[in-house]
Amino acid sequence: MNERAFYSGEGLHVAIYDVMHAEIPGGDDVAFFRGLAADTGGPVLDLGCGTGRIAVPLAAAGFEVVGVDRSPAMLARAQTRADRLTPEVRRRLRLVEGDFTRTIAGSGFGLVFAAFRVFMAAPDPDSQLLALETIGRQLRPDGLVAIDLFDPRLDILAPAESTEPMHHGTFLNPDTGRPVRVTILGRQNDRVAQRFRQPWLFEELDALGHPARSEVEILTLRWTYRHEMRHLLVRAGFEPLAEYSDYAMAPPEYGAEQIWVARKKPS
């Protein structure tokens, strides 16, 4: 069975993405980013916008939104979602294929955000710093950046390897009406580089519950400790304003979310 990176093709994972992530860790991020957009007045840049899960509601709320993603398949889903909007709302949304660490999608943004752990796809501190510098080049003075990571849990990340499969759930494929079973096949932790590698198995089941189609995608993310993240933000020219453990703005908590809000310092 061939392996590929997350979201690198039009497959089962992309098809069930919205169903699988109807709820995400930390709570209602759409409302959170909508509130930040209102505070800044926009326009808004959504990094790793995927299927438009957040970008489309923000455009519907009246904000000018640009969504950037490196996956053509995910952007195609976002475009399909956008096509269902009124012409007025569609004009407020622009989708761009690109790598969030280096793609310049515009300038003068009031808010740039990387939701649902998108920032963790940057594989090392140099890439993270490059991403923050790229964000800074697109923000207006005093504009805000918001970034969501998970706070590292040492009980999960300290072991070098786990080979125990974990059932992640079964989700209905809206394209075929068939269930898709999702299994995380294990985890390899690089404790020096602070990166982990997880193979995810996606199996579309037939009427008898047997796999009729199977695909494996590899998730690779880098975890970042909170003081390290603060240092990266400051080094990139940002003033950290807040860190929350969820989208209800609870204070920092070990093992929960790291949701950072920072302001671009005037040059």
Side-chain angles (χ1 to χ4, degrees):
M1 188 180 303
N2 292 332
E3 296 181 350
R4 62 189 182 200
F6 255 37
Y7 317 127
S8 58
E10 176 62 71
L12 293 173
H13 188 188
V14 171
I16 67 170
Y17 178 86
D18 287 325
V19 179
M20 189 165 65
H21 300 300
E23 296 182 5
I24 68 162
D28 189 352
D29 60 346
V30 176
F32 179 84
F33 293 118
R34 187 166 54 233
L36 290 180
D39 290 343
T40 64
V44 178
L45 177 59
D46 179 357
L47 301 177
C49 67
T51 64
R53 183 180 66 85
I54 303 175
V56 168
L58 290 187
F63 300 102
E64 298 289 332
V65 182
V66 177
V68 173
D69 204 283
R70 65 185 180 186
S71 167
M74 295 286 272
L75 287 174
R77 298 271 170 170
Q79 187 61 58
T80 297
R81 177 178 272 171
D83 288 343
R84 296 194 288 264
L85 302 171
T86 65
E88 179 184 0
V89 175
R90 281 201 305 271
R91 285 192 290 270
R92 290 198 288 267
L93 177 63
R94 180 165 63 93
L95 300 173
V96 176
E97 182 180 341
D99 180 342
F100 76 90
T101 65
R102 59 184 69 244
T103 296
I104 300 295
S107 61
F109 290 102
L111 171 65
V112 179
F113 67 85
F116 198 23
R117 303 164 180 177
V118 163
F119 189 79
M120 297 178 68
D124 52 55
D126 287 342
S127 298
Q128 292 177 315
L129 187 59
L130 175 62
L132 291 172
E133 291 171 344
T134 299
I135 290 169
R137 290 169 61 190
Q138 298 176 89
L139 274 172
R140 65 174 181 250
D142 293 328
L144 297 182
V145 60
I147 295 174
D148 172 26
L149 315 88
F150 67 61
D151 191 55
R153 280 182 50 185
L154 299 182
D155 59 320
I156 295 174
L157 299 172
E161 184 176 21
S162 171
T163 57
E164 187 70 27
M166 183 177 68
H167 179 59
H168 187 70
T170 301
F171 309 90
L172 192 68
N173 184 344
D175 295 345
T176 64
R178 289 181 170 178
V180 177
R181 182 172 61 206
V182 182
T183 306
I184 302 173
L185 299 178
R187 178 195 290 257
Q188 295 174 322
N189 294 322
D190 184 333
R191 295 167 293 186
V192 174
Q194 295 174 207
R195 284 194 299 268
F196 69 82
R197 180 183 186 275
Q198 282 183 329
W200 289 52
L201 173 63
F202 299 85
E203 300 173 293
E204 188 169 63
L205 308 178
D206 62 20
L208 298 177
H210 301 145
R213 176 183 172 190
S214 299
E215 299 168 358
V216 173
E217 292 189 357
I218 305 300
L219 175 65
T220 304
L221 297 177
R222 181 179 193 271
W223 68 87
T224 303
Y225 297 99
R226 58 173 39 89
H227 296 296
E228 180 185 10
M229 188 64 202
R230 179 178 291 274
H231 174 75
L232 284 166
L233 286 165
V234 171
R235 186 176 172 190
F238 291 96
E239 175 192 1
L241 300 178
E243 180 202 345
Y244 306 117
S245 61
D246 62 26
Y247 287 105
M249 302 184 187
E253 179 181 343
Y254 170 75
E257 297 300 291
Q258 285 186 49
I259 301 168
W260 289 89
V261 179
R263 178 186 292 121
K264 179 182 177 179
K265 293 180 181 178
S267 56

